[in-house]
Amino acid sequence: MFSTFLPFHDPEDTAAVGPLALNSQDFFETSPVSFNVQKPIRYFVSSLFSAGTGHRELVREAPLASLSRSKRYTYSGAPLDQFDLDVLLHCTAAAGSSRRRGAWTEHAQLVRTLGKRNDAATRKRVCESLARLQECTIGIEGDGYRYMTRLVNRALLDEGAGASLVEVNSDFADSIRSMRGLDLLMQERRAMGANGLAKWLHGVLWIIPAGFSSNFATLSKLCGMRSTSSHGFRTRCLGALDLLVTNGVVTEYSVEDSGGLYVSGRRNNTRANACGFFSLPDTQRGCSRETVCAHA
C-alpha cells in the first residue's frame, strides 16, 4: 500500500475534499477557492482538538501543529479536546442543513447522544465545553493574508433550563457537511468511549480512509500530546489502534524496526484510493516534506 508515493505541495488542498475526491479533476490539481473555505483536515488532522485533556490555561495565538506547509495556524482561548469536538459535531448535526442563526440543544439529549451518563456533572461539562467553543478563535496565515475565524458564533447557555441556543460558525458547519455521513461519524466516535486518541485517529481515517504512515513523534505533535513520554505515547497509540481494529475502522497496522507506523484503513469511500505520509514542516520542528501516495 505504501510502496509508491508522489510529492504534493500541501495535503490540505486534496486530502479533505469529499474526502480525497478525485471527481473529474487531475489528482494533483486544485481549483482556486476563497481562503475562508475551511477544509475538514484542519480540524481532524491537527492539534486543534487534542487527543488528551490537559491544562485549560488560556492561550493567545498559540501555534497549532498541522500538515500544511503553505499556511500557519494559531489558536486563542482555552485548549480544546475530543470531548469539545463531540459537542461541536452534535450541535452541527442538530442544526441540520439549515442556515438559521441557532439550534436549540437540550443538554440531557446531547449527553445521551454522546453516550455519557446523564448527571449534573456531565451536563455542567457540556456547558463548560460550549463556553470554550464560543470564546475561542483560530488564526490562519498564508501568503500575504491573515484570516481569523471561530467555531461557534454565539451560544446562549441556560443551565437552569438545561438547554442552550447554539449558532455554529458557518465555516465549520459547511466544512463538516461537505464530508457527508455526519451521523455515522458521531456513532463511530461514540463507540470509542473516552479514548481521545482513538477518536483523533478515527478522525484522521475519516479524512484519509485508505490509511497513513507516520512516526510516533510526528503523531504525538499532531494530536497535541507532546507532554506524554515517547514510550507512553507509543503504548497508548497502539492501544487506540487495537480499539479501531475492533470497531472495523482499521483493517491492520504494523510497526517497523525503525519505528515507522503503517495503518491501513477500510477505504470507506470507493474513490479514496490514496494514503497519506505524515511529516511536519520545518517550522514545526519536523521534516518539511508532505506527500500523498497513490495505491495501485
Side-chain angles (χ1 to χ4, degrees):
M1 177 174 94
F2 298 97
S3 59
T4 305
F5 65 87
L6 297 171
F8 187 61
H9 66 285
D10 189 347
E12 279 198 333
D13 293 335
T14 58
V17 183
L20 285 174
L22 305 182
N23 299 322
S24 60
Q25 301 178 11
D26 183 86
F27 184 76
F28 295 107
E29 289 294 330
T30 55
S31 57
V33 294
S34 172
F35 55 75
N36 70 331
V37 176
Q38 306 297 302
K39 299 171 184 175
I41 196 171
R42 298 179 182 175
Y43 307 110
F44 289 93
V45 195
S46 75
S47 61
L48 175 59
F49 294 99
S50 173
T53 302
H55 298 295
R56 296 291 191 184
E57 296 178 3
L58 294 176
V59 297
R60 180 174 174 79
E61 297 188 352
L64 292 175
S66 74
L67 296 176
S68 179
R69 293 174 62 187
S70 61
K71 306 176 187 68
R72 176 178 178 266
Y73 298 101
T74 59
Y75 175 85
S76 297
L80 304 175
D81 59 22
Q82 289 293 306
F83 180 82
D84 297 313
L85 180 55
D86 282 334
V87 171
L88 186 57
L89 290 173
H90 173 90
C91 293
T92 303
S97 59
S98 171
R99 290 186 174 273
R100 58 190 174 187
R101 290 191 174 275
W104 190 252
T105 300
E106 294 186 0
H107 301 161
Q109 177 60 38
L110 193 158
V111 168
R112 287 192 291 268
T113 300
L114 300 184
K116 305 292 184 181
R117 178 178 296 178
N118 182 19
D119 54 23
T122 308
R123 293 192 296 272
K124 179 176 176 59
R125 187 182 176 194
V126 166
C127 287
E128 292 172 345
S129 176
L130 287 170
R132 286 193 296 271
L133 290 166
Q134 177 186 230
E135 294 163 1
C136 73
T137 58
I138 301 168
I140 305 172
E141 297 181 29
D143 184 14
Y145 70 81
R146 182 179 184 185
Y147 177 66
M148 304 297 292
T149 189
R150 308 186 70 177
L151 296 171
V152 169
N153 290 335
R154 292 178 293 184
L156 171 63
L157 311 179
D158 191 337
E159 293 190 55
S164 295
L165 184 64
V166 181
E167 179 186 344
V168 178
N169 184 281
S170 60
D171 289 349
F172 177 85
D174 290 345
S175 172
I176 298 304
R177 289 170 187 144
S178 72
M179 296 173 59
R180 303 183 184 278
L182 178 54
D183 289 341
L184 178 61
L185 172 64
M186 295 170 61
Q187 176 183 336
E188 293 186 342
R189 285 177 62 86
R190 185 165 59 246
M192 304 294 110
N195 193 322
L197 184 52
K199 288 184 175 182
W200 188 88
L201 290 167
H202 177 272
V204 172
L205 290 162
W206 191 264
I207 300 297
I208 311 175
F212 65 90
S213 71
S214 179
N215 59 56
F216 289 100
T218 295
L219 281 182
S220 177
K221 293 182 177 69
L222 271 176
C223 75
M225 296 182 68
R226 301 186 187 191
S227 60
T228 306
S229 69
S230 57
H231 174 74
F233 178 78
R234 178 184 172 122
T235 300
R236 293 181 63 175
C237 189
L238 296 181
L241 287 169
D242 286 337
L243 181 57
L244 291 171
V245 170
T246 300
N247 285 276
V249 178
V250 169
T251 56
E252 61 181 350
Y253 69 88
S254 61
V255 182
E256 287 192 337
D257 294 338
S258 62
L261 174 66
Y262 295 83
V263 178
S264 178
R266 61 189 168 186
R267 300 175 180 83
N268 59 2
N269 184 312
T270 57
R271 304 200 68 179
N273 57 352
C275 54
F277 285 80
F278 292 171
S279 63
L280 296 174
D282 289 332
T283 55
Q284 297 174 45
R285 300 182 65 183
C287 177
S288 62
R289 181 187 187 190
E290 288 86 34
T291 58
V292 173
C293 77
H295 173 66

